[in-house]
Amino acid sequence: MSSDDWYRNEEWSEEIESKFFEKLKRARRKEQYLRIQACTIARRAPDVALSLLDQYFELSDDFDHAQAYCDMAAAYIAKGEIENAINSYGKALERESAFPNLKTDAYILYPLLIVENKLTNLYQSASEVLDNHQERLMFPVDHFRWHAAKAIISAENGNNEQAANHAAQAFDAAQIKKSGFRFHQKLGLVGKEYKGVVNELRAIHA
């Protein structure tokens, strides 16, 4: 890792931590570096990420709060603390509502987390978030996740025809092999991490 990437460590140790905070002490935009490092390490070292984010929120610059809440959610998911993750995505959405110029993927990650964990008491909330942000869909993976979540919610509500229709559209998005962006053809495609969702969609589509 180059010296310019001192705040993007993918591993964490006492030595890395010491060097990170040594650099951070001299940095002007401490908030930015704390959040980016937390994001980078969230899934591998969630406790470290949450500690860094606690320090981020103690500082004065609130420019990136919505994304910071999403990073916090990722760390909680890694720890298996789904309720805390849901709450963090909720805070991200609230922040976006107050400051709409700064957007995150919370609008799609919040509903997807709800349906993946069968939190049926939150399905109405998830559906409303999906409907309110449908115009933001851009990449194939966005369309896949949106329609997948709607399919699962529709199936739970007994709307089988609607559920099958959403499942079919999710599969269509999953089959796309090029993003349509000239220099980033692999960007935003559906990956293997959605295998469990795909299996559920097959059952709905059948």
Side-chain angles (χ1 to χ4, degrees), residues 6 19-27 30 33-34:
W6 60 271
K19 289 181 179 178
F20 173 80
F21 282 107
E22 184 180 335
K23 289 272 192 180
L24 186 70
K25 192 182 299 182
R26 300 195 296 269
K30 291 180 172 58
Y33 300 124
L34 282 165

Side-chain angles (χ1 to χ4, degrees), residues 4 9-10 17 24 43-44 50 64 74 78 80 89 92 98 120 138 149 152 157 166 169 179 187 193:
D4 291 338
N9 297 286
E10 296 183 1
E17 180 177 331
L24 186 70
R43 290 170 177 79
R44 186 162 296 183
L50 291 170
D64 225 8
Y89 281 137
T120 55
M138 180 182 298
I152 294 168
N157 291 335
H166 282 301
Q169 291 186 71
S179 67
L187 189 64
E193 68 269 26

Side-chain angles (χ1 to χ4, degrees), residues 13 16 35 50 58 65 87 110 115 119 129 141 147 155 159:
S13 65
I16 292 172
R35 194 205 63 74
L50 291 170
E58 289 175 358
H65 272 19
N87 291 336
Y110 168 80
V115 299
L119 303 176
V129 169
V141 69
H147 285 290
N159 299 323

Side-chain angles (χ1 to χ4, degrees), residues 74-89:
Y76 280 129
I77 291 170
K79 287 168 63 68
E81 298 180 13
I82 303 304
E83 183 176 350
N84 284 333
I86 292 291
N87 291 336
S88 295
Y89 281 137

